[in-house]
Amino acid sequence: AKQPEVPLGVNVLLGLIASDQEDIPSAAKYYRAELSIDKGNHVAMNNLAMAIVELSGDLDEALAMATEATRQEAKWVAGSYRTVSTPAG
C-alpha cells in the first residue's frame, strides 16, 4: 500500500516538537523530510541550519542553509504582499 502524503508543514511541526524535547537528530530528520516535499520551506531550512550546528558543528553547511532560508523567506514575503488586496477608497 502506498504511504499517504504528509500535508505540507506537518514535518516542520514534528521537528519543532522533537526540538522542544531536545531530540535534535529527530528534529533534523523531520526538517529534511519537509524539504524533500517543499524545497523552498524557509522555516524548515532555518531550523535545519540550527540543528546542523548542534549535531555536527558544520558551520559551512549551516551557513549555506541559513542563507538559502533567508533568500526563500524574502521570496515568500514578496509573494505574500502581491496577494494582499487594498480596499478601494
Side-chain angles (χ1 to χ4, degrees):
K2 185 179 177 190
Q3 195 71 336
E5 288 189 32
V6 177
L8 292 179
V10 169
N11 284 308
V12 172
L13 295 175
L14 293 171
L16 291 170
I17 291 167
S19 182
D20 191 52
Q21 296 173 343
E22 299 182 15
D23 183 358
I24 305 307
S26 291
K29 179 188 79 163
Y30 286 121
Y31 299 138
R32 289 186 193 282
E34 184 68 26
L35 291 170
S36 75
I37 58 174
D38 182 7
K39 296 186 184 339
N41 188 310
H42 61 275
V43 175
M45 286 179 193
N46 181 71
N47 293 358
L48 180 56
M50 301 286 284
I52 289 168
V53 170
E54 288 192 47
L55 291 172
S56 69
D58 186 339
L59 299 180
D60 290 333
E61 182 184 7
L63 179 59
M65 184 69 61
T67 300
E68 182 60 23
T70 302
R71 209 177 338 242
Q72 292 298 324
E73 181 182 23
K75 284 183 187 177
W76 181 80
V77 168
S80 296
Y81 284 122
R82 281 196 297 267
T83 61
V84 174
S85 60
T86 312

